[in-house]
Amino acid sequence: MTDTRFIRNFSIVAHIDHGKSTLADRLLELTGALSKREMAEQVLDSMDLERERGITIKAHAVRLHYTARNGRDYQLNIIDTPGHVDFSYEVSRSLSACEGAVLVIDASQGVEAQTLANAHLAMNNHLAIVPVINKIDLPGADIEATRQQMEHALALDPQEALLISAKAGTGVQEVLETIVARVPPPAGSAEAPLQALIFDSWFDPYRGVVVLARVVQGTLATGMRIRLWSNNQVYNVEELGVLTPKPVRVEQLGPGEVGFVIANIKRISESRIGDTITDDARPASGPLPGFEEIKSMVFAGLYPVDTSGYENLRDAIDKLRLNDASLVHEPENSEALGFGFRCGFLGLLHMEIVQERLEREFNIDLITTAPSVRYRVTTKAGEVLEVHTPTKFPVAGDIEKVEEPVIRAQIFTQDEFLGGILALLEEKRGVQKGFEYVSGKRVLLTYELPLNEIVLDFYDRLKSVSRGYASLDYHFAGYWVSDLVKVDFLVAGEPVDALSFICHRDAAFARGRALCTRMRKLIPRQMFEVSLQAAIGSRIIARENVAAIRKNVLAKCYGGDITRKRKLLEKQKEGKKRMKRVGRVDIPQEAFLAVLKVSEE
């Protein structure tokens, strides 16, 4: 067991694409954890999807051994965290497993929204912060401006910032020395009752669930009977080990140490992130603080393109859930799309990743319905319902009030783009909570916005109006009461559930009309006229008609009495009426994706 005085636990945090994983690569190289031959770019990003997109989706923990300039050997436990806002709970749990954080800032981009959010997370966890200005070798690097922003936005001493280039390896040695000097060693006694924090887990098809944990106090040993605090289940520890990044078996983990635990846990949903492991024979007095249930923020329907692919989709989602406990799903049946699943996701990026993994790893062609959020509806009978699909939205006459989820968004941008961004935020029903100049021309906007305004196209439009110079970070801020309505879409008088949506009453007319216009182009012409209508309850708010395909029945009339022509036209008209009563409208698959594009109109 290593003396806690020579252990340093730290996380690398930053805005997306500021160089977290590249810095982790250099640290692995410098400490000799991997040879040049074994190195690859973003070596800690194990998924193909992570490498392609250049983002970290899962947190990774690695033990490094470093001999400092003072001649002592140190054990460094590094946790490479996800940078995207969807995984902020995972970041917060990773940070609570550390005593320090290396905050990476891109010298050419400066302080961004997630830099600020992650810095605040680190400060709230009382971590020692080591600020690092990365990419100093880029032509666009502005070190002085970045230092100014650090001082104004983050309240950090700009003179403490280390100047490095993670790609070239410049200054990385100083990062290691500063970690050893500034990050405090872990506290905790080996004799105390066991408390260990779970900050990640994954499923191994041969060993079951593998849990990554940080021992806060006590000792975790092979053969021990452990209990998980959240579900009170008892397991037997079969194997302990550390990642260097290769797995290495150990017999025990002491206070401050980080490693993996294999304890015949069968389902990943049993090993929840943020949960506490304790000794069954001598349990601790309470769990570690900060644990919360992960709640889905965004919901969408996933359907196979071919209805016969339902069983394959179900198996694929079950297999994916083995590695992703935050994905929730329930069977759903749509008249238009057949059998599928209503799935809950942490956010839009999480939804994109799940969809892409299902299509790529399991070879399934999917249709994804428009994303929606979880609304809280209070009925006149006093019942409170949680609704995340338009089909379960109560009838307007039964509703007392509807509450929608709200986020607190922080947007960093240049002041020249303020006009367009403020207009966009106004359009999305935002309420301004803060407006400040961080440095020269950099502005930090703080707004409260309804989550359902974010899920469609907000991020794309924000990037468009700011020419890519705005960055966004947000977190859940509660609920507020709104005048929300369900807009039904009717084709030939029949409601199509997959095309219904919930929106604010003020936007219902524009969105209903835009959907009708778009659908008129997508639904093929039938032998009879087809009406397309958007309705709130029984009130039609928009309508378009798809004209009938009309055979020229007068072609055989070369002359003669007008009554002959009129008779043929009347006969055709009667036939069309009869068809309209019994005919079914063929709706192509791309029509269901139209609801996603409505707001672009």
Side-chain angles (χ1 to χ4, degrees):
M1 197 185 298
T2 310
D3 186 338
T4 55
R5 289 177 302 160
F6 305 114
I7 297 175
R8 298 290 183 270
N9 295 327
F10 66 96
S11 256
I12 302 177
V13 293
H15 186 77
I16 198 163
D17 203 30
H18 276 206
K20 294 185 301 294
S21 299
T22 311
L23 177 58
D25 290 351
R26 293 297 81 76
L27 297 179
L28 287 169
E29 242 176 48
L30 260 176
T31 53
L34 289 174
S35 65
K36 279 273 188 194
R37 185 174 58 81
E38 294 168 306
M39 278 303 293
E41 275 194 35
Q42 297 175 330
V43 72
L44 295 184
D45 292 343
S46 49
M47 266 188 253
D48 288 343
L49 208 54
E50 289 182 310
R51 286 165 179 271
E52 279 173 30
R53 290 178 173 230
I55 58 172
T56 302
I57 295 165
K58 291 290 282 177
H60 305 275
V62 180
R63 177 184 286 192
L64 309 175
H65 291 283
Y66 175 62
T67 305
R69 286 178 191 153
N70 61 14
R72 297 186 183 278
D73 285 335
Y74 288 88
Q75 180 196 117
L76 306 180
N77 291 310
I78 169 179
I79 297 165
D80 185 28
T81 58
H84 198 275
V85 65
D86 285 7
F87 308 106
S88 58
Y89 175 64
E90 208 167 304
V91 175
S92 74
R93 293 303 82 212
S94 299
L95 289 178
S96 59
C98 304
E99 281 75 40
V102 175
L103 181 67
V104 183
I105 304 167
D106 186 329
S108 60
Q109 305 276 336
V111 171
E112 301 265 19
Q114 278 165 247
T115 318
L116 189 69
N118 287 332
H120 284 165
L121 268 176
M123 288 168 187
N124 292 343
N125 280 290
H126 309 293
L127 304 190
I129 295 175
V130 177
V132 168
I133 297 175
N134 188 21
K135 307 188 186 180
I136 57 167
D137 53 341
L138 286 183
D142 189 342
I143 295 164
E144 276 315 301
T146 306
R147 279 185 163 147
Q148 271 183 21
Q149 290 165 29
M150 267 178 61
E151 191 173 15
H152 287 98
L154 306 174
L156 295 173
D157 183 353
Q159 299 313 313
E160 287 187 357
L162 303 174
L163 304 180
I164 70 160
S165 166
K167 197 152 198 169
T170 314
V172 177
Q173 184 88 39
E174 283 307 312
V175 176
L176 286 168
E177 285 296 324
T178 310
I179 288 165
V180 168
R182 282 199 218 160
V183 175
S189 161
E191 309 308 317
L194 173 67
Q195 275 186 324
L197 173 75
I198 297 175
F199 63 87
D200 197 15
S201 59
W202 65 88
F203 188 80
D204 184 295
Y206 304 106
R207 310 302 305 274
V209 176
V210 181
V211 168
L212 270 184
R214 145 81 197 266
V215 179
V216 176
Q217 63 175 36
T219 306
L220 190 57
T222 312
M224 190 183 221
R225 284 178 69 75
I226 57 168
R227 192 191 323 151
L228 298 184
W229 206 277
S230 68
N231 58 14
N232 227 16
Q233 296 287 323
V234 178
Y235 304 96
N236 200 50
V237 177
E238 294 176 352
E239 189 181 316
L240 292 174
V242 295
L243 298 165
T244 65
K246 299 166 190 168
V248 176
R249 288 180 74 157
V250 295
E251 284 308 306
Q252 61 180 37
L253 292 169
E257 293 193 294
V258 176
F260 64 83
V261 184
I262 298 172
N264 67 7
I265 302 171
K266 297 288 187 287
R267 287 190 299 275
I268 201 158
S269 53
E270 293 171 30
S271 60
R272 299 169 183 179
I273 291 175
D275 200 359
T276 304
I277 298 173
T278 192
D279 186 349
D280 186 46
R282 191 165 71 109
S285 57
L288 293 162
F291 172 71
E292 60 182 63
E293 296 281 347
I294 295 181
K295 272 203 160 184
S296 302
M297 299 294 286
V298 175
F299 296 83
L302 297 182
Y303 295 87
V305 168
D306 184 356
T307 48
S308 62
Y310 174 74
E311 293 295 326
N312 293 343
L313 178 59
R314 187 178 64 190
D315 293 347
I317 289 176
D318 286 342
K319 282 175 185 167
L320 197 57
R321 278 211 76 220
L322 292 174
N323 271 315
D324 189 353
S326 54
L327 171 65
V328 296
H329 70 290
E330 58 181 43
E332 184 177 62
N333 180 24
S334 158
E335 286 178 27
L337 300 172
F339 290 99
F341 292 94
R342 189 84 188 163
C343 297
F345 308 94
L346 297 176
L348 287 178
L349 178 74
H350 186 218
M351 181 177 113
E352 247 181 83
I353 288 161
V354 168
Q355 189 182 338
E356 200 159 330
R357 286 187 71 184
L358 285 170
E359 289 181 340
R360 184 182 294 195
E361 294 173 27
F362 301 98
N363 243 355
I364 294 170
D365 290 327
L366 287 175
I367 290 174
T368 310
T369 61
S372 65
V373 298
R374 190 196 299 267
Y375 300 100
R376 228 161 40 190
V377 181
T378 307
T379 63
K380 287 184 175 168
E383 194 183 353
V384 178
L385 308 170
E386 287 209 328
V387 177
H388 52 72
T389 171
T391 50
K392 293 186 179 167
F393 203 73
V395 180
D398 297 341
I399 296 172
E400 181 66 40
K401 65 173 180 180
V402 183
E403 293 168 283
E404 61 180 337
V406 178
I407 57 150
R408 194 176 185 88
Q410 291 179 313
I411 298 165
F412 263 103
T413 187
Q414 307 274 17
D415 60 1
E416 63 185 285
F417 306 116
L418 271 176
I421 291 173
L422 291 173
L424 174 64
L425 291 164
E426 193 71 30
E427 182 194 324
K428 297 291 185 183
R429 299 189 285 126
V431 176
Q432 191 177 107
K433 294 291 175 185
F435 184 111
E436 61 178 298
Y437 274 84
V438 175
S439 67
K441 294 185 171 185
R442 300 267 291 167
V443 180
L444 171 62
L445 300 171
T446 308
Y447 264 78
E448 283 190 352
L449 289 155
L451 181 60
N452 70 343
E453 297 286 359
I454 297 288
V455 297
L456 275 173
D457 62 342
F458 179 78
Y459 190 67
D460 292 345
R461 287 185 59 190
L462 178 67
K463 286 292 182 188
S464 296
V465 295
S466 67
R467 293 194 222 143
Y469 281 103
S471 63
L472 166 75
D473 185 84
Y474 62 84
H475 60 264
F476 181 62
Y479 284 83
W480 68 26
V481 176
S482 273
D483 185 11
L484 298 173
V485 291
K486 175 191 172 187
V487 178
D488 287 309
F489 191 77
L490 293 84
V491 176
E494 292 292 317
V496 180
D497 52 0
L499 294 172
S500 302
F501 57 90
I502 298 165
C503 74
H504 195 272
R505 192 181 294 275
D506 293 348
F509 173 71
R511 281 193 61 186
R513 189 163 148 198
L515 185 58
C516 286
T517 307
R518 189 172 270 265
M519 294 296 277
R520 184 168 63 84
K521 297 170 187 167
L522 291 170
I523 292 181
R525 291 170 68 185
Q526 313 291 315
M527 291 301 290
F528 51 92
E529 187 179 75
V530 178
S531 65
L532 308 175
Q533 296 165 311
I536 299 172
S538 57
R539 182 169 145 252
I540 306 298
I541 57 169
R543 174 180 175 132
E544 290 282 347
N545 288 336
V546 179
I549 300 172
R550 186 165 170 269
K551 182 183 173 187
N552 186 3
V553 290
L554 303 182
K556 57 189 174 184
C557 298
Y558 293 106
D561 191 3
I562 188 69
T563 53
R564 170 72 179 144
K565 292 180 182 175
R566 198 170 287 141
K567 187 179 171 187
L568 286 169
L569 289 169
E570 287 298 324
K571 193 175 176 186
Q572 184 187 42
K573 200 173 173 184
E574 287 302 314
K576 297 278 183 204
K577 269 189 195 167
R578 192 166 58 251
M579 275 185 185
K580 200 171 187 175
R581 282 200 304 272
V582 298
R584 283 186 58 80
V585 181
D586 172 42
I587 303 175
Q589 305 289 11
E590 59 266 24
F592 296 105
L593 305 178
V595 77
L596 291 168
K597 310 287 183 195
V598 159
S599 46
E600 292 174 14
E601 290 280 304

